[in-house]
mmCIF file of all heavy atoms in Angstrom:
data_model
loop_
_atom_site.group_PDB
_atom_site.id
_atom_site.type_symbol
_atom_site.label_atom_id
_atom_site.label_comp_id
_atom_site.label_asym_id
_atom_site.label_seq_id
_atom_site.Cartn_x
_atom_site.Cartn_y
_atom_site.Cartn_z
ATOM 1 N N GLY T 1 12.307 -18.046 15.549
ATOM 2 C CA GLY T 1 12.134 -17.388 16.835
ATOM 3 C C GLY T 1 11.890 -15.870 16.616
ATOM 4 O O GLY T 1 12.237 -15.371 15.592
ATOM 5 N N LEU T 2 11.261 -15.268 17.570
ATOM 6 C CA LEU T 2 10.834 -13.802 17.498
ATOM 7 C C LEU T 2 12.068 -12.925 17.264
ATOM 8 O O LEU T 2 11.944 -12.002 16.396
ATOM 9 C CB LEU T 2 10.088 -13.387 18.825
ATOM 10 C CG LEU T 2 8.627 -13.126 18.578
ATOM 11 C CD1 LEU T 2 7.875 -14.376 18.212
ATOM 12 C CD2 LEU T 2 8.016 -12.613 19.851
ATOM 13 N N GLY T 3 13.168 -13.067 17.915
ATOM 14 C CA GLY T 3 14.331 -12.197 17.823
ATOM 15 C C GLY T 3 14.853 -12.163 16.393
ATOM 16 O O GLY T 3 15.020 -11.095 15.873
ATOM 17 N N ARG T 4 15.016 -13.323 15.814
ATOM 18 C CA ARG T 4 15.523 -13.446 14.482
ATOM 19 C C ARG T 4 14.639 -12.811 13.478
ATOM 20 O O ARG T 4 15.007 -12.063 12.516
ATOM 21 C CB ARG T 4 15.770 -14.898 14.044
ATOM 22 C CG ARG T 4 16.166 -15.126 12.611
ATOM 23 C CD ARG T 4 17.530 -14.432 12.314
ATOM 24 N NE ARG T 4 17.770 -14.531 10.855
ATOM 25 C CZ ARG T 4 18.422 -15.510 10.298
ATOM 26 N NH1 ARG T 4 18.898 -16.579 10.989
ATOM 27 N NH2 ARG T 4 18.750 -15.482 8.997
ATOM 28 N N LEU T 5 13.249 -13.092 13.621
ATOM 29 C CA LEU T 5 12.282 -12.544 12.674
ATOM 30 C C LEU T 5 12.124 -11.031 12.708
ATOM 31 O O LEU T 5 11.962 -10.337 11.728
ATOM 32 C CB LEU T 5 10.944 -13.223 12.874
ATOM 33 C CG LEU T 5 10.958 -14.707 12.494
ATOM 34 C CD1 LEU T 5 9.651 -15.307 12.639
ATOM 35 C CD2 LEU T 5 11.536 -14.980 11.052
ATOM 36 N N PHE T 6 12.175 -10.454 13.947
ATOM 37 C CA PHE T 6 12.198 -9.016 14.094
ATOM 38 C C PHE T 6 13.347 -8.333 13.455
ATOM 39 O O PHE T 6 13.334 -7.306 12.858
ATOM 40 C CB PHE T 6 11.999 -8.540 15.622
ATOM 41 C CG PHE T 6 10.601 -8.445 15.981
ATOM 42 C CD1 PHE T 6 9.803 -9.552 16.412
ATOM 43 C CD2 PHE T 6 10.016 -7.225 16.060
ATOM 44 C CE1 PHE T 6 8.531 -9.411 16.722
ATOM 45 C CE2 PHE T 6 8.650 -7.053 16.433
ATOM 46 C CZ PHE T 6 7.930 -8.161 16.845
ATOM 47 N N GLU T 7 14.578 -8.957 13.582
ATOM 48 C CA GLU T 7 15.741 -8.517 13.044
ATOM 49 C C GLU T 7 15.648 -8.603 11.485
ATOM 50 O O GLU T 7 16.060 -7.703 10.781
ATOM 51 C CB GLU T 7 17.024 -9.198 13.548
ATOM 52 C CG GLU T 7 18.281 -8.591 13.175
ATOM 53 C CD GLU T 7 19.451 -9.157 13.900
ATOM 54 O OE1 GLU T 7 19.749 -10.348 13.916
ATOM 55 O OE2 GLU T 7 20.157 -8.283 14.557
ATOM 56 N N ASP T 8 15.223 -9.715 11.058
ATOM 57 C CA ASP T 8 15.031 -9.865 9.512
ATOM 58 C C ASP T 8 14.154 -8.760 9.038
ATOM 59 O O ASP T 8 14.542 -8.138 7.936
ATOM 60 C CB ASP T 8 14.307 -11.249 9.231
ATOM 61 C CG ASP T 8 15.267 -12.407 9.412
ATOM 62 O OD1 ASP T 8 16.517 -12.131 9.517
ATOM 63 O OD2 ASP T 8 14.800 -13.573 9.382
ATOM 64 N N ALA T 9 13.053 -8.422 9.646
ATOM 65 C CA ALA T 9 12.135 -7.370 9.208
ATOM 66 C C ALA T 9 12.835 -5.992 9.257
ATOM 67 O O ALA T 9 12.491 -5.143 8.445
ATOM 68 C CB ALA T 9 10.843 -7.396 9.923
ATOM 69 N N SER T 10 13.681 -5.801 10.239
ATOM 70 C CA SER T 10 14.415 -4.601 10.371
ATOM 71 C C SER T 10 15.583 -4.380 9.383
ATOM 72 O O SER T 10 15.976 -3.238 9.191
ATOM 73 C CB SER T 10 14.975 -4.483 11.843
ATOM 74 O OG SER T 10 13.941 -4.642 12.781
ATOM 75 N N GLU T 11 16.068 -5.473 8.935
ATOM 76 C CA GLU T 11 17.128 -5.344 7.952
ATOM 77 C C GLU T 11 16.691 -5.319 6.457
ATOM 78 O O GLU T 11 17.436 -4.852 5.594
ATOM 79 C CB GLU T 11 18.038 -6.613 8.058
ATOM 80 C CG GLU T 11 18.782 -6.792 9.331
ATOM 81 C CD GLU T 11 20.010 -5.892 9.453
ATOM 82 O OE1 GLU T 11 20.225 -5.015 8.595
ATOM 83 O OE2 GLU T 11 20.721 -5.999 10.414
ATOM 84 N N GLN T 12 15.413 -5.553 6.216
ATOM 85 C CA GLN T 12 14.905 -5.524 4.906
ATOM 86 C C GLN T 12 14.161 -4.169 4.620
ATOM 87 O O GLN T 12 13.337 -3.787 5.393
ATOM 88 C CB GLN T 12 13.831 -6.690 4.621
ATOM 89 C CG GLN T 12 13.398 -6.695 3.249
ATOM 90 C CD GLN T 12 12.512 -8.034 2.941
ATOM 91 O OE1 GLN T 12 12.183 -8.621 3.873
ATOM 92 N NE2 GLN T 12 12.207 -8.244 1.705
ATOM 93 N N ARG T 13 14.404 -3.600 3.491
ATOM 94 C CA ARG T 13 13.834 -2.322 3.186
ATOM 95 C C ARG T 13 12.426 -2.463 2.715
ATOM 96 O O ARG T 13 12.047 -3.497 1.942
ATOM 97 C CB ARG T 13 14.699 -1.567 2.098
ATOM 98 C CG ARG T 13 16.016 -1.194 2.523
ATOM 99 C CD ARG T 13 16.783 -0.448 1.483
ATOM 100 N NE ARG T 13 16.321 0.881 1.225
ATOM 101 C CZ ARG T 13 16.838 1.734 0.355
ATOM 102 N NH1 ARG T 13 17.932 1.346 -0.406
ATOM 103 N NH2 ARG T 13 16.359 2.895 0.267
ATOM 104 N N ALA T 14 11.514 -1.576 3.060
ATOM 105 C CA ALA T 14 10.222 -1.524 2.574
ATOM 106 C C ALA T 14 10.130 -0.852 1.284
ATOM 107 O O ALA T 14 11.147 -0.283 0.795
ATOM 108 C CB ALA T 14 9.260 -0.851 3.571
ATOM 109 N N GLY T 15 9.011 -0.853 0.564
ATOM 110 C CA GLY T 15 8.873 -0.197 -0.661
ATOM 111 C C GLY T 15 8.471 1.289 -0.495
ATOM 112 O O GLY T 15 7.962 1.670 0.582
ATOM 113 N N ARG T 16 8.743 2.042 -1.464
ATOM 114 C CA ARG T 16 8.351 3.524 -1.464
ATOM 115 C C ARG T 16 6.809 3.563 -1.536
ATOM 116 O O ARG T 16 6.209 2.912 -2.288
ATOM 117 C CB ARG T 16 8.966 4.240 -2.684
ATOM 118 C CG ARG T 16 8.416 5.692 -2.905
ATOM 119 C CD ARG T 16 8.940 6.236 -4.174
ATOM 120 N NE ARG T 16 8.570 5.359 -5.330
ATOM 121 C CZ ARG T 16 7.375 5.371 -5.949
ATOM 122 N NH1 ARG T 16 6.385 6.117 -5.514
ATOM 123 N NH2 ARG T 16 7.191 4.581 -6.993
ATOM 124 N N ILE T 17 6.214 4.416 -0.687
ATOM 125 C CA ILE T 17 4.745 4.650 -0.666
ATOM 126 C C ILE T 17 4.419 5.509 -1.858
ATOM 127 O O ILE T 17 4.843 6.740 -1.857
ATOM 128 C CB ILE T 17 4.228 5.178 0.678
ATOM 129 C CG1 ILE T 17 4.467 4.188 1.785
ATOM 130 C CG2 ILE T 17 2.891 5.646 0.474
ATOM 131 C CD1 ILE T 17 4.164 4.722 3.135
ATOM 132 N N GLY T 18 3.682 5.054 -2.875
ATOM 133 C CA GLY T 18 3.360 5.893 -4.029
ATOM 134 C C GLY T 18 2.905 5.002 -5.154
ATOM 135 O O GLY T 18 2.747 3.784 -5.092
ATOM 136 N N LEU T 19 2.578 5.646 -6.254
ATOM 137 C CA LEU T 19 2.114 4.952 -7.446
ATOM 138 C C LEU T 19 3.235 4.074 -8.057
ATOM 139 O O LEU T 19 4.351 4.198 -7.732
ATOM 140 C CB LEU T 19 1.610 5.934 -8.485
ATOM 141 C CG LEU T 19 0.394 6.878 -8.117
ATOM 142 C CD1 LEU T 19 -0.033 7.694 -9.325
ATOM 143 C CD2 LEU T 19 -0.713 6.047 -7.508
ATOM 144 N N PHE T 20 2.746 3.131 -8.831
ATOM 145 C CA PHE T 20 3.593 2.234 -9.628
ATOM 146 C C PHE T 20 4.548 1.424 -8.737
ATOM 147 O O PHE T 20 5.631 1.026 -9.182
ATOM 148 C CB PHE T 20 4.435 2.975 -10.665
ATOM 149 C CG PHE T 20 3.628 3.846 -11.566
ATOM 150 C CD1 PHE T 20 3.800 5.183 -11.638
ATOM 151 C CD2 PHE T 20 2.763 3.210 -12.454
ATOM 152 C CE1 PHE T 20 2.952 5.978 -12.490
ATOM 153 C CE2 PHE T 20 2.000 3.946 -13.405
ATOM 154 C CZ PHE T 20 2.137 5.320 -13.426
ATOM 155 N N ASN T 21 4.082 1.072 -7.452
ATOM 156 C CA ASN T 21 5.008 0.327 -6.655
ATOM 157 C C ASN T 21 4.303 -0.658 -5.746
ATOM 158 O O ASN T 21 4.860 -1.129 -4.767
ATOM 159 C CB ASN T 21 5.789 1.390 -5.713
ATOM 160 C CG ASN T 21 7.085 0.839 -5.358
ATOM 161 O OD1 ASN T 21 7.781 0.134 -6.101
ATOM 162 N ND2 ASN T 21 7.526 1.120 -4.103
ATOM 163 N N THR T 22 3.083 -1.045 -6.113
ATOM 164 C CA THR T 22 2.393 -2.134 -5.418
ATOM 165 C C THR T 22 2.602 -3.393 -6.057
ATOM 166 O O THR T 22 2.420 -3.565 -7.217
ATOM 167 C CB THR T 22 0.846 -1.820 -5.249
ATOM 168 O OG1 THR T 22 0.696 -0.571 -4.605
ATOM 169 C CG2 THR T 22 0.051 -2.941 -4.652
ATOM 170 N N ASP T 23 2.996 -4.450 -5.361
ATOM 171 C CA ASP T 23 3.122 -5.799 -5.912
ATOM 172 C C ASP T 23 1.899 -6.298 -6.522
ATOM 173 O O ASP T 23 0.786 -6.023 -6.082
ATOM 174 C CB ASP T 23 3.557 -6.750 -4.777
ATOM 175 C CG ASP T 23 4.031 -8.070 -5.388
ATOM 176 O OD1 ASP T 23 5.170 -8.166 -5.722
ATOM 177 O OD2 ASP T 23 3.223 -9.031 -5.482
ATOM 178 N N PRO T 24 1.989 -6.891 -7.813
ATOM 179 C CA PRO T 24 0.811 -7.367 -8.454
ATOM 180 C C PRO T 24 -0.068 -8.292 -7.674
ATOM 181 O O PRO T 24 -1.277 -8.248 -7.897
ATOM 182 C CB PRO T 24 1.448 -8.101 -9.652
ATOM 183 C CG PRO T 24 2.705 -7.391 -9.960
ATOM 184 C CD PRO T 24 3.230 -7.071 -8.580
ATOM 185 N N ALA T 25 0.503 -8.986 -6.616
ATOM 186 C CA ALA T 25 -0.301 -9.847 -5.819
ATOM 187 C C ALA T 25 -1.401 -9.055 -4.983
ATOM 188 O O ALA T 25 -2.358 -9.577 -4.540
ATOM 189 C CB ALA T 25 0.506 -10.676 -4.925
ATOM 190 N N LEU T 26 -1.085 -7.768 -4.826
ATOM 191 C CA LEU T 26 -1.963 -6.923 -3.964
ATOM 192 C C LEU T 26 -2.847 -5.998 -4.807
ATOM 193 O O LEU T 26 -3.461 -5.063 -4.298
ATOM 194 C CB LEU T 26 -1.134 -6.099 -2.967
ATOM 195 C CG LEU T 26 -0.324 -6.956 -1.974
ATOM 196 C CD1 LEU T 26 0.582 -5.969 -1.104
ATOM 197 C CD2 LEU T 26 -1.275 -7.642 -1.083
ATOM 198 N N ARG T 27 -2.895 -6.205 -6.163
ATOM 199 C CA ARG T 27 -3.641 -5.289 -7.016
ATOM 200 C C ARG T 27 -5.087 -5.253 -6.636
ATOM 201 O O ARG T 27 -5.764 -4.116 -6.671
ATOM 202 C CB ARG T 27 -3.509 -5.737 -8.462
ATOM 203 C CG ARG T 27 -4.208 -4.750 -9.429
ATOM 204 C CD ARG T 27 -4.074 -5.224 -10.915
ATOM 205 N NE ARG T 27 -4.613 -4.309 -11.846
ATOM 206 C CZ ARG T 27 -5.981 -4.152 -12.045
ATOM 207 N NH1 ARG T 27 -6.823 -5.018 -11.368
ATOM 208 N NH2 ARG T 27 -6.395 -3.240 -12.880
ATOM 209 N N ASP T 28 -5.699 -6.368 -6.212
ATOM 210 C CA ASP T 28 -7.126 -6.425 -5.866
ATOM 211 C C ASP T 28 -7.484 -5.503 -4.753
ATOM 212 O O ASP T 28 -8.620 -4.901 -4.707
ATOM 213 C CB ASP T 28 -7.560 -7.833 -5.580
ATOM 214 C CG ASP T 28 -7.678 -8.721 -6.804
ATOM 215 O OD1 ASP T 28 -7.607 -8.144 -7.956
ATOM 216 O OD2 ASP T 28 -7.849 -9.936 -6.621
ATOM 217 N N VAL T 29 -6.535 -5.342 -3.810
ATOM 218 C CA VAL T 29 -6.934 -4.394 -2.658
ATOM 219 C C VAL T 29 -6.860 -2.949 -3.161
ATOM 220 O O VAL T 29 -7.532 -2.070 -2.579
ATOM 221 C CB VAL T 29 -5.926 -4.622 -1.458
ATOM 222 C CG1 VAL T 29 -6.222 -6.025 -0.825
ATOM 223 C CG2 VAL T 29 -4.473 -4.494 -1.749
ATOM 224 N N GLU T 30 -6.012 -2.582 -4.168
ATOM 225 C CA GLU T 30 -6.064 -1.317 -4.643
ATOM 226 C C GLU T 30 -7.402 -1.074 -5.430
ATOM 227 O O GLU T 30 -7.953 0.006 -5.275
ATOM 228 C CB GLU T 30 -4.799 -1.037 -5.648
ATOM 229 C CG GLU T 30 -3.512 -1.300 -5.057
ATOM 230 C CD GLU T 30 -3.028 -0.283 -4.014
ATOM 231 O OE1 GLU T 30 -3.928 0.398 -3.441
ATOM 232 O OE2 GLU T 30 -1.832 -0.171 -3.735
ATOM 233 N N VAL T 31 -7.831 -2.082 -6.214
ATOM 234 C CA VAL T 31 -9.093 -1.949 -6.909
ATOM 235 C C VAL T 31 -10.205 -1.731 -5.841
ATOM 236 O O VAL T 31 -11.056 -0.820 -5.985
ATOM 237 C CB VAL T 31 -9.373 -3.259 -7.656
ATOM 238 C CG1 VAL T 31 -10.822 -3.255 -8.183
ATOM 239 C CG2 VAL T 31 -8.407 -3.346 -8.905
ATOM 240 N N SER T 32 -10.266 -2.462 -4.796
ATOM 241 C CA SER T 32 -11.232 -2.363 -3.724
ATOM 242 C C SER T 32 -11.206 -0.978 -3.083
ATOM 243 O O SER T 32 -12.232 -0.429 -2.805
ATOM 244 C CB SER T 32 -11.039 -3.426 -2.688
ATOM 245 O OG SER T 32 -11.919 -3.222 -1.574
ATOM 246 N N SER T 33 -9.998 -0.387 -2.893
ATOM 247 C CA SER T 33 -9.886 0.865 -2.274
ATOM 248 C C SER T 33 -10.474 2.009 -3.089
ATOM 249 O O SER T 33 -11.194 2.845 -2.610
ATOM 250 C CB SER T 33 -8.405 1.183 -1.925
ATOM 251 O OG SER T 33 -7.817 0.207 -1.077
ATOM 252 N N ILE T 34 -10.142 1.910 -4.411
ATOM 253 C CA ILE T 34 -10.709 2.999 -5.350
ATOM 254 C C ILE T 34 -12.220 2.788 -5.402
ATOM 255 O O ILE T 34 -12.980 3.765 -5.383
ATOM 256 C CB ILE T 34 -10.056 2.884 -6.670
ATOM 257 C CG1 ILE T 34 -8.556 3.175 -6.620
ATOM 258 C CG2 ILE T 34 -10.703 3.878 -7.671
ATOM 259 C CD1 ILE T 34 -7.735 2.735 -7.785
ATOM 260 N N ALA T 35 -12.646 1.549 -5.540
ATOM 261 C CA ALA T 35 -14.137 1.309 -5.618
ATOM 262 C C ALA T 35 -14.821 1.726 -4.383
ATOM 263 O O ALA T 35 -15.957 2.309 -4.425
ATOM 264 C CB ALA T 35 -14.412 -0.227 -5.875
ATOM 265 N N ASP T 36 -14.271 1.534 -3.210
ATOM 266 C CA ASP T 36 -14.850 1.966 -1.940
ATOM 267 C C ASP T 36 -15.035 3.495 -1.894
ATOM 268 O O ASP T 36 -16.088 3.966 -1.515
ATOM 269 C CB ASP T 36 -14.047 1.572 -0.738
ATOM 270 C CG ASP T 36 -14.190 0.128 -0.462
ATOM 271 O OD1 ASP T 36 -15.081 -0.597 -1.005
ATOM 272 O OD2 ASP T 36 -13.491 -0.430 0.468
ATOM 273 N N GLY T 37 -13.976 4.238 -2.342
ATOM 274 C CA GLY T 37 -14.042 5.676 -2.338
ATOM 275 C C GLY T 37 -15.125 6.189 -3.219
ATOM 276 O O GLY T 37 -15.879 7.076 -2.904
ATOM 277 N N ARG T 38 -15.337 5.544 -4.341
ATOM 278 C CA ARG T 38 -16.466 5.989 -5.275
ATOM 279 C C ARG T 38 -17.825 5.573 -4.770
ATOM 280 O O ARG T 38 -18.751 6.364 -4.893
ATOM 281 C CB ARG T 38 -16.141 5.417 -6.744
ATOM 282 C CG ARG T 38 -14.892 5.994 -7.295
ATOM 283 C CD ARG T 38 -14.741 5.560 -8.769
ATOM 284 N NE ARG T 38 -13.523 6.090 -9.340
ATOM 285 C CZ ARG T 38 -13.157 5.905 -10.559
ATOM 286 N NH1 ARG T 38 -13.948 5.288 -11.453
ATOM 287 N NH2 ARG T 38 -12.001 6.443 -10.985
ATOM 288 N N ALA T 39 -17.851 4.372 -4.207
ATOM 289 C CA ALA T 39 -19.182 3.926 -3.672
ATOM 290 C C ALA T 39 -19.639 4.870 -2.539
ATOM 291 O O ALA T 39 -20.844 5.046 -2.364
ATOM 292 C CB ALA T 39 -19.100 2.546 -3.117
ATOM 293 N N LEU T 40 -18.736 5.389 -1.735
ATOM 294 C CA LEU T 40 -19.026 6.311 -0.644
ATOM 295 C C LEU T 40 -19.174 7.792 -1.126
ATOM 296 O O LEU T 40 -19.438 8.622 -0.275
ATOM 297 C CB LEU T 40 -17.973 6.148 0.424
ATOM 298 C CG LEU T 40 -17.956 4.800 1.161
ATOM 299 C CD1 LEU T 40 -16.729 4.641 1.937
ATOM 300 C CD2 LEU T 40 -19.138 4.647 1.981
ATOM 301 N N GLY T 41 -18.986 8.031 -2.377
ATOM 302 C CA GLY T 41 -19.038 9.396 -2.830
ATOM 303 C C GLY T 41 -18.052 10.305 -2.260
ATOM 304 O O GLY T 41 -18.329 11.484 -1.976
ATOM 305 N N LEU T 42 -16.839 9.851 -2.064
ATOM 306 C CA LEU T 42 -15.790 10.662 -1.507
ATOM 307 C C LEU T 42 -15.478 11.888 -2.434
ATOM 308 O O LEU T 42 -15.354 11.653 -3.612
ATOM 309 C CB LEU T 42 -14.530 9.872 -1.216
ATOM 310 C CG LEU T 42 -14.536 8.947 -0.061
ATOM 311 C CD1 LEU T 42 -13.157 8.276 0.193
ATOM 312 C CD2 LEU T 42 -15.082 9.496 1.229
ATOM 313 N N ALA T 43 -15.317 13.029 -1.847
ATOM 314 C CA ALA T 43 -14.980 14.172 -2.655
ATOM 315 C C ALA T 43 -13.513 13.946 -3.252
ATOM 316 O O ALA T 43 -12.837 13.207 -2.744
ATOM 317 C CB ALA T 43 -14.939 15.446 -1.748
ATOM 318 N N PRO T 44 -13.337 14.683 -4.324
ATOM 319 C CA PRO T 44 -12.039 14.417 -5.071
ATOM 320 C C PRO T 44 -10.834 15.059 -4.292
ATOM 321 O O PRO T 44 -11.024 15.733 -3.277
ATOM 322 C CB PRO T 44 -12.184 15.129 -6.401
ATOM 323 C CG PRO T 44 -13.355 16.096 -6.141
ATOM 324 C CD PRO T 44 -14.243 15.542 -5.105
ATOM 325 N N TYR T 45 -9.717 14.748 -4.757
ATOM 326 C CA TYR T 45 -8.468 15.042 -4.142
ATOM 327 C C TYR T 45 -8.315 16.534 -3.846
ATOM 328 O O TYR T 45 -7.939 16.948 -2.719
ATOM 329 C CB TYR T 45 -7.291 14.543 -5.075
ATOM 330 C CG TYR T 45 -5.922 15.200 -4.938
ATOM 331 C CD1 TYR T 45 -5.136 14.818 -3.953
ATOM 332 C CD2 TYR T 45 -5.485 16.122 -5.833
ATOM 333 C CE1 TYR T 45 -3.858 15.356 -3.823
ATOM 334 C CE2 TYR T 45 -4.283 16.763 -5.779
ATOM 335 C CZ TYR T 45 -3.436 16.293 -4.778
ATOM 336 O OH TYR T 45 -2.165 16.844 -4.657
ATOM 337 N N ASN T 46 -8.642 17.391 -4.743
ATOM 338 C CA ASN T 46 -8.561 18.866 -4.572
ATOM 339 C C ASN T 46 -9.394 19.336 -3.449
ATOM 340 O O ASN T 46 -9.020 20.216 -2.750
ATOM 341 C CB ASN T 46 -8.869 19.605 -5.856
ATOM 342 C CG ASN T 46 -7.648 20.297 -6.470
ATOM 343 O OD1 ASN T 46 -6.628 20.498 -5.747
ATOM 344 N ND2 ASN T 46 -7.749 20.681 -7.709
ATOM 345 N N ALA T 47 -10.598 18.739 -3.260
ATOM 346 C CA ALA T 47 -11.444 19.167 -2.184
ATOM 347 C C ALA T 47 -10.817 18.843 -0.823
ATOM 348 O O ALA T 47 -10.980 19.653 0.149
ATOM 349 C CB ALA T 47 -12.788 18.499 -2.272
ATOM 350 N N TYR T 48 -10.124 17.767 -0.706
ATOM 351 C CA TYR T 48 -9.465 17.421 0.560
ATOM 352 C C TYR T 48 -8.196 18.256 0.763
ATOM 353 O O TYR T 48 -7.863 18.563 1.913
ATOM 354 C CB TYR T 48 -9.087 15.892 0.621
ATOM 355 C CG TYR T 48 -10.323 15.084 0.949
ATOM 356 C CD1 TYR T 48 -11.125 14.560 -0.067
ATOM 357 C CD2 TYR T 48 -10.722 14.945 2.256
ATOM 358 C CE1 TYR T 48 -12.319 13.840 0.298
ATOM 359 C CE2 TYR T 48 -11.861 14.228 2.594
ATOM 360 C CZ TYR T 48 -12.603 13.676 1.620
ATOM 361 O OH TYR T 48 -13.785 12.973 1.957
#
């Protein structure tokens, strides 16, 4: 049920947002994100 699942999600800690902390199962989406930035010619970090 919804109540139990919302509470489960509220009791479980999320991961720290940053490098070296993405589950290997999601590596492909990190690859895609970097590739998209390069395909679009996004300016580098310092420019932003």
Side-chain angles (χ1 to χ4, degrees):
L2 252 62
R4 172 63 188 270
L5 294 182
F6 269 82
E7 188 166 60
D8 286 347
S10 302
E11 295 283 8
Q12 185 174 10
R13 296 181 71 176
R16 171 189 55 81
I17 294 174
L19 298 187
F20 304 116
N21 209 34
T22 297
D23 191 84
L26 297 173
R27 185 181 184 280
D28 285 350
V29 291
E30 304 290 21
V31 170
S32 175
S33 299
I34 298 165
D36 284 352
R38 293 188 182 183
L40 293 165
L42 291 188
Y45 161 77
N46 247 341
Y48 281 94

